[in-house]
Amino acid sequence: FHGLTNQFLYAAYKVSATFVDDIGNAKSGTGTCFFVKNKNDDLCLISNRHVFDISYKKADNSLAKYTLREIEISGKRGSPGDNVPESDLSFSIVPNVKFSGDSNNDIACITKTIPLKANDVRIDYFIPYSFLATETDFQQRLMVCDFLAFPGFPEWHDKQANRPILRTGTISSDPR
């Protein structure tokens, strides 16, 4: 619905989740997350549920004994009006994750975070509430075959500069 500047590429952050079982065995995984402002102007961390729920839709029942212990977030910091990031950002949080009641919804939301290892944690790149699609958008404006692009940290992201890349696609089902 709008043109995006380079700064929106940096609204994607790399996230690493660490899970532990009751005897200290650890497993970890990575993914992409975004900071999104909600209607109350609070920053929320949004990612896929499968990033923060190691047993989500997995046949391996032994994974259910693992619980989420820590989330590490890395990305870029800079001035919101500036298209070039100033430096790298990295910090860890104690998770307080909420999942949708619908088990088919692969969404996770963290509304409150407690930084563990961070000096001057400042989130410069985020998605404003006004950019979120509304029910009207889904009902009337989004159509099959609309082009889409989203930043993320797939396996082939820019590892040398630790930057996300844009992935593109086409809406292939009725968004309603």
Side-chain angles (χ1 to χ4, degrees):
F1 305 131
H2 43 73
L4 298 177
T5 63
N6 290 345
Q7 72 185 24
F8 285 100
L9 177 66
Y10 300 107
Y13 292 82
K14 187 175 185 179
V15 62
S16 299
T18 301
F19 304 87
V20 295
D21 66 8
D22 54 353
I23 59 172
N25 294 315
K27 292 186 179 285
S28 61
T30 62
T32 301
C33 68
F34 301 88
F35 286 93
V36 178
K37 287 240 178 161
N38 65 17
K39 62 184 172 187
N40 298 322
D41 209 34
D42 299 321
L43 275 178
C44 301
L45 187 143
I46 306 293
S47 188
N48 292 102
R49 178 175 180 165
H50 68 262
V51 173
F52 298 139
D53 182 356
I54 196 169
S55 63
Y56 179 67
K57 294 200 172 192
K58 298 260 180 19
D60 184 356
N61 291 334
S62 70
L63 294 174
K65 65 184 178 180
Y66 285 85
T67 57
L68 184 59
R69 171 67 52 89
E70 183 179 88
I71 299 170
E72 184 176 325
I73 299 163
S74 62
K76 299 295 182 183
R77 70 168 27 147
S79 301
D82 188 8
N83 287 336
V84 181
E86 294 172 355
S87 61
D88 290 326
L89 171 69
S90 181
F91 63 97
S92 297
I93 61 171
V94 174
N96 179 12
V97 184
K98 293 181 183 178
F99 300 120
S100 169
D102 181 350
S103 64
N104 292 315
N105 223 347
D106 189 11
I107 301 287
C109 176
I110 300 176
T111 56
K112 295 186 180 180
T113 58
I114 303 167
L116 292 178
K117 305 171 200 165
N119 293 326
D120 187 32
V121 173
R122 185 181 81 223
I123 305 301
D124 294 321
Y125 301 111
F126 58 87
I127 299 168
Y129 182 74
S130 63
F131 278 32
L132 299 181
T134 65
E135 186 64 30
T136 300
D137 293 330
F138 282 104
Q139 292 297 323
Q140 299 174 11
R141 296 184 70 190
L142 294 171
M143 301 288 174
V144 173
C145 292
D146 280 352
F147 176 80
L148 58 94
F150 52 95
F153 284 91
E155 186 62 34
W156 56 90
H157 73 278
D158 180 357
K159 292 181 179 123
Q160 185 173 3
N162 195 33
R163 289 187 294 214
I165 63 167
L166 276 179
R167 296 192 296 174
T168 60
T170 304
I171 296 177
S172 58
S173 63
D174 189 338
R176 296 172 295 173

